[in-house]
Amino acid sequence: MKIKQLALMVGITGAAFLGMGMKVSADEVTHTVKSGETLSGISAKYFGDYTRYIEIANSNNIKNADLIFVGDTLKIDTTTGEIVDATAEEAAAEATTPATETTESTTTTTQATDGSVESIVRAAASAYGWGSGANWEAIRFIIQHESSWNPNAQNPTSTAYGLFQMLVETSSDPAVQAANGMAYIAGRYGTPVNAMAFWQANNWY
């Protein structure tokens, strides 16, 4: 990268300093983006919910929710989930002061908090009412046959990529891939059961 090291393609960009900053309350913590982190993972770390990365993006006026940069500093309001930008002075102070580790909650609040790919996909499926029964089994069938649950699976003969082997998928984040996969199935087939039936008849969907 020209200036900053990319942390990961995740559906989120790092927050830029706005200069003015905001007053930090007792409920705010500072998080500096580290290599390999995703914003959905940061959301799960503080709130026990991968899907709140959308709130993080919106509260920072992020236009392109595809990139997160190593070294970006976020102030996280652990009461509301609102992310506010750090001032330049706060960022400089953090560079010379060891960061205080935030203790992660050990309470599982959603199906996705264990961090497994399957639980992340199931959380996205549940938003469509597909988190159990025949529709969930159909989703499992499709992913198993398309990618064997590997979010980095690449078709060697096309641009198909990720869990659902979508031709236009650009994110390696399972949460983003899951959301895109559910939207595709809903829009093209209506339900995962219908999508699986098509796959079984054609070996693609």
Side-chain angles (χ1 to χ4, degrees):
M1 296 301 140
K2 293 182 180 179
I3 300 177
K4 296 184 179 180
Q5 177 188 358
L6 278 175
L8 199 62
M9 295 289 295
V10 296
I12 315 293
T13 165
F17 293 151
L18 298 181
M20 295 303 292
M22 298 183 70
K23 184 177 181 180
V24 178
S25 72
D27 293 317
E28 289 176 358
V29 295
T30 298
H31 184 91
T32 300
V33 177
K34 302 175 183 63
S35 179
E37 283 190 314
T38 67
L39 203 56
S40 59
I42 294 171
S43 173
K45 175 184 177 75
Y46 292 103
F47 308 117
D49 184 350
Y50 282 87
T51 63
R52 293 184 69 174
Y53 75 87
I54 297 172
E55 297 176 28
I56 297 174
N58 289 342
S59 65
N60 282 280
N61 296 317
I62 295 171
K63 304 297 183 184
N64 179 5
D66 274 335
L67 303 175
I68 187 170
F69 292 100
V70 172
D72 280 340
T73 303
L74 302 174
K75 292 290 184 179
I76 301 179
D77 187 334
T78 56
T79 299
T80 65
E82 180 184 2
I83 309 302
V84 295
D85 298 300
T87 64
E89 291 79 6
E90 289 171 331
E94 181 177 81
T96 57
T97 304
T100 301
E101 290 294 328
T102 300
T103 303
E104 295 189 38
S105 172
T106 57
T107 303
T108 300
T109 56
T110 71
Q111 291 175 317
T113 55
D114 65 7
S116 72
V117 172
E118 183 168 342
S119 66
I120 293 170
V121 173
R122 193 162 192 166
S126 295
Y128 286 78
W130 301 337
S132 62
N135 279 316
W136 171 242
E137 292 307 315
I139 291 170
R140 294 183 74 250
F141 173 92
I142 291 170
I143 295 176
Q144 183 62 42
H145 287 77
E146 289 291 321
S147 65
S148 297
W149 295 91
N150 177 7
N152 297 307
Q154 175 71 62
N155 188 312
T157 62
S158 75
T159 60
Y161 177 76
L163 294 171
F164 293 86
Q165 288 293 283
M166 295 181 64
L167 295 175
V168 295
E169 185 62 76
T170 59
S171 174
S172 61
D173 184 355
V176 175
Q177 292 183 12
N180 292 340
M182 299 307 153
Y184 170 77
I185 290 172
R188 185 177 177 89
Y189 299 103
T191 69
V193 168
N194 293 339
M196 182 179 71
F198 186 93
W199 196 102
Q200 290 173 320
N202 300 276
N203 283 332
W204 63 277
Y205 79 114

